[in-house]
Amino acid sequence: EGSEGTVNLDYTDWDFTASALWRPDVNWSFGLAYRQGPDGKKHVEGMSSGFGLPDVASVGCAYRSRGGMLTVSAEWDRVWYSKEQRTASGAEVEDANQLQLGAESALLNKNPSVALRWGVWREPGRAFGDAVESEPVDDEYHFATGFGVAFPSFQIDLALDIADPVITASISAIF
């Protein structure tokens, strides 16, 4: 039988993020990024332990067709999951590589501009902290779709990330 309890996470920390973008012409763009994951404390039933979110280094490229109606992109991420994360048995979680592929079809000659987006990426199997057993976790494939509308003074975007067993919905707006 399962047990009930309270888990509190405290992520009061400074971190570091840096990125660079190079556009050699109007069709191609290349980028690099590094994000330091914050360190924090995990409090479970009166016991505390350190816990960190992973650091991530990324490199990517995108090609936009003439006229800008189709963009395809690829991104490779190196994710340092082992940063202060352990399985339930105390074993270190292995670092991983993630490849992400995406496409956007934009109707730029409309007012407002409308964009449809699709993507896929593989999240390598792993375990997080004491939340799961130390048995290997299968790779998880994410399929994403989205829709965006850009008006002259603001933009709104909706997206779904579909992976078994979790579906994540997001909305963003720029004013």
Side-chain angles (χ1 to χ4, degrees), residues 86-155:
R86 305 275 188 261
T87 63
S89 67
E92 204 171 87
V93 179
E94 291 185 14
D95 299 333
N97 296 306
Q98 295 179 351
L99 178 63
Q100 302 177 32
L101 304 172
E104 176 185 80
S105 177
L107 305 173
L108 301 174
N109 56 354
K110 302 287 184 195
N111 190 6
S113 298
V114 176
L116 302 173
R117 301 177 185 105
W118 306 271
V120 62
W121 62 285
R122 180 183 65 88
E123 182 177 8
R126 64 189 189 291
F128 278 106
D130 297 327
V132 296
E133 296 183 18
S134 59
E135 297 298 317
V137 177
D138 292 335
D139 291 354
E140 195 170 287
Y141 290 87
H142 292 248
F143 301 93
T145 186
F147 173 80
V149 180
F151 296 91
S153 60
F154 73 96
Q155 175 178 326

Side-chain angles (χ1 to χ4, degrees), residues 36-172:
Q36 178 186 24
D39 293 322
K41 290 277 186 194
K42 177 172 56 173
H43 309 282
V44 181
E45 298 295 317
M47 296 173 47
S48 294
S49 63
F51 188 80
L53 293 179
D55 294 350
V56 180
S58 304
V59 61
C61 67
Y63 176 78
R64 178 172 284 175
S65 66
R66 291 179 191 239
M69 294 189 65
L70 178 66
T71 303
V72 293
S73 63
E75 179 180 321
W76 171 78
D77 296 335
R78 177 65 176 173
V79 184
W80 284 276
Y81 288 116
S82 62
K83 178 185 165 189
E84 297 184 31
Q85 294 185 8
R86 305 275 188 261
T87 63
S89 67
E92 204 171 87
V93 179
E94 291 185 14
D95 299 333
N97 296 306
Q98 295 179 351
L99 178 63
Q100 302 177 32
L101 304 172
E104 176 185 80
S105 177
L107 305 173
L108 301 174
N109 56 354
K110 302 287 184 195
N111 190 6
S113 298
V114 176
L116 302 173
R117 301 177 185 105
W118 306 271
V120 62
W121 62 285
R122 180 183 65 88
E123 182 177 8
R126 64 189 189 291
F128 278 106
D130 297 327
V132 296
E133 296 183 18
S134 59
E135 297 298 317
V137 177
D138 292 335
D139 291 354
E140 195 170 287
Y141 290 87
H142 292 248
F143 301 93
T145 186
F147 173 80
V149 180
F151 296 91
S153 60
F154 73 96
Q155 175 178 326
I156 190 160
D157 296 288
L158 306 168
L160 287 176
D161 180 343
I162 302 164
D164 187 30
V166 177
I167 297 175
T168 303
S170 61
I171 184 169
S172 70

